[in-house]
Amino acid sequence: MKTPVRKLLFWIMEIGVIGAIHFILLDWLAEKNVVATIFAAGTHVPRLTLACAGAFMAIRLLALLLLPGIILSRAGMYVVDLRMKKNDTPATKE
Amino acid sequence: MKWRRLAVVRGVGFGLFLAGIWLVPHRWCARESRAWYDGNAVLQQRLARGVEKWVMTGLGRQDFSTGTSQFNGEWLFGAYMMAAMGYGQTALEHPAWRARHVELMGQCIERILSQEVRAFDRESWGDDPIDSLDGDSDHAAYLGYFNLVLGLHRQLNPASKYAALNDRITAALIRRIEKSPTLLLQTYPGEVYPVDNCAVIASVALHGRTGNTNHQVLLNRWMQRCRERYIDSATGLLYQSVERATGAVVDGPRGSGTTLGAYFLSFADKSLSRDLYEASRRELAGDILGFGVVREYPRSVKGGRGDIDSGPIILGYSISAAGFSIAGSRIHRDAERYSRLVSTAYLFGAPLDRRDGREYVTGGPLGNALMFALLTAQP
């Protein structure tokens, strides 16, 4: 079972990786002007281009839209779980 | 009791997840919106520099990938036209930038006048929009949009070297409007879009203000006709297209046409512009998780598929209509709506700041020029 510190480090690493992928893709796609094609998407757009643009948007939505909820949810679950575990533990006799 | 603990923990987690996606993302994405709304010089200059990069590269049709040469040509023209509007508007807002931005407008005008940029309109009409000014081909989109830029350039620089061209185009447009039984001009042969005619009439109004000529009688007649015939009485939205000879509806009220029309008409008749903006807000505007969205079709229309004007339609919401509404919300001082729409533009536009300015990564040349013009639309 993960210790609290390891758990926290894992979460931070996860957020860092998502953020890094997002910014690397953003920078790279800006150079290539790939994502602009998403707004004119049709049969003329190469599938690989469309896939790259789609992947970028998916990562961006994950990072900007879902991540705050995921972080808040995990932190809340961790705190509530810890408190309930404490309350459930029978008091030891002195 | 383990199951009870698990249920409580999961319940709290789900509740916090919902709270997190409801409360945080749209506020984060809108964090610059107040500064944009207030005309922050740093932000405007950053985007101006980003757009300048596109303007200076000498764009061609090959830089666009709409799937048809015609639309690639339209987008090429639109990129220079909207970039010029952005430079003009920001020069009005920050007089210290006037000299440089008037110069950049001049570069856009030269490109719009080039044979390469004019080609899309020439190919559709079979004659050139500028060479045929004494003729009867309407060329509503090219001439209307371009003349608006010329009027703005003249407003900023009364000694504009394009003043004579502005006079000639305005005279041709007025003559063609007077001749038209509907008071509307054709964008391409047989195609009449009220929104393009909003640009035409806005350019005539701007010419009246800058060229010391009074077009008020025609303007009043046009606005009245527009209210009576080209605005849907049930929704207050602008019809997307009408029949050439009679003005009968071909494509009904739509978000992209109404919201862009509200922007253009702000140069001619603030009251009609406000009415269109209010109608779009009432009939089309919505929020998803706090992000501002705009429908392409009124709720009563089921299954509208949209087109190149609306951009992709997702769950009934149009990317173009949301973008164009940014202008209306700034023009008509609706700070709350502006903020929500800017947050959507941030999420899907993916702005990236570099040393040479800001770029909306998903926008390309046209998207960036549009964002520049719409974010800086003048009240």
Side-chain angles (χ1 to χ4, degrees), chain A residues 26-27 29-31 33 35-40 44 56-57 60-61 64-66 68-70 72-73 76-77 80-81 84-85 88, chain B residues 4-5 8-9 12-13 16-17 20-21 24-25 28 54 65-67 75 291 312 319 346-348 350-352 354 361-364:
Chain A
L26 181 67
D27 202 63
L29 293 172
E31 280 294 328
N33 190 26
V35 194
T37 58
I38 207 167
F39 289 111
H44 61 286
F56 168 71
M57 284 314 292
R60 185 166 176 83
L61 290 179
L64 294 187
L65 206 58
L66 302 180
I70 293 171
L72 205 61
S73 163
M77 283 165 74
V80 171
D81 192 40
M84 290 188 85
K85 265 184 191 164
D88 286 351
Chain B
R4 192 181 142 266
R5 197 178 83 214
V8 170
V9 169
V12 167
L16 286 171
F17 174 74
I21 61 168
V24 181
W28 169 260
W54 292 112
S65 51
T66 63
W75 284 30
F291 289 91
I319 286 177
Y346 184 94
L347 180 65
F348 291 103
L352 177 66
R354 291 177 156 169
V361 171
T362 62

Side-chain angles (χ1 to χ4, degrees), chain B residues 290-350:
Chain B
F291 289 91
V293 287
V294 179
R295 300 181 68 83
E296 177 62 12
Y297 297 91
R299 286 173 183 83
S300 54
V301 176
K302 300 288 173 212
R305 286 179 11 196
D307 51 25
I308 193 85
D309 294 328
S310 65
I313 292 186
I314 303 161
L315 303 172
Y317 297 107
S318 152
I319 286 177
S320 299
F324 298 149
S325 294
I326 292 175
S329 59
R330 187 162 197 254
I331 291 164
H332 300 295
R333 309 313 287 158
D334 187 349
E336 191 259 337
R337 192 73 202 142
Y338 184 85
S339 170
R340 289 186 186 273
L341 291 165
V342 167
S343 70
T344 307
Y346 184 94
L347 180 65
F348 291 103

Side-chain angles (χ1 to χ4, degrees), chain A:
Chain A
M1 194 178 162
K2 286 174 182 168
T3 64
V5 176
R6 279 184 63 187
K7 215 173 196 177
L8 190 67
L9 281 175
F10 181 74
W11 290 351
I12 291 170
M13 210 171 69
E14 222 176 30
I15 294 164
V17 167
I18 291 171
I21 293 174
H22 174 255
F23 283 110
I24 289 167
L25 269 178
L26 181 67
D27 202 63
W28 182 71
L29 293 172
E31 280 294 328
K32 303 281 175 198
N33 190 26
V34 168
V35 194
T37 58
I38 207 167
F39 289 111
T43 49
H44 61 286
V45 182
R47 281 185 184 175
L48 184 65
T49 305
L50 211 54
C52 279
F56 168 71
M57 284 314 292
I59 288 278
R60 185 166 176 83
L61 290 179
L62 173 67
L64 294 187
L65 206 58
L66 302 180
L67 210 54
I70 293 171
I71 294 168
L72 205 61
S73 163
R74 280 180 175 177
M77 283 165 74
Y78 181 73
V79 171
V80 171
D81 192 40
L82 212 64
R83 287 185 72 99
M84 290 188 85
K85 265 184 191 164
K86 255 187 193 170
N87 291 343
D88 286 351
T89 309
T92 50
K93 284 180 185 175
E94 295 195 10

Side-chain angles (χ1 to χ4, degrees), chain B residues 85-140:
Chain B
M85 294 304 289
Y87 286 122
Q89 289 164 179
T90 47
L92 284 175
E93 192 153 354
H94 304 281
W97 302 350
R98 184 170 293 209
R100 176 65 183 147
H101 283 201
V102 164
E103 188 188 327
L104 287 165
M105 282 183 88
Q107 299 208 17
C108 294
I109 290 170
E110 289 300 327
R111 283 295 292 150
I112 292 172
L113 273 172
S114 70
Q115 293 297 334
E116 186 188 2
V117 177
R118 274 147 71 165
F120 80 97
D121 200 52
R122 192 170 51 237
E123 287 160 12
S124 293
W125 279 97
D127 60 12
D128 185 86
I130 301 295
D131 295 343
S132 68
L133 282 177
D134 294 329
D136 289 326
S137 303
D138 286 348
H139 297 281

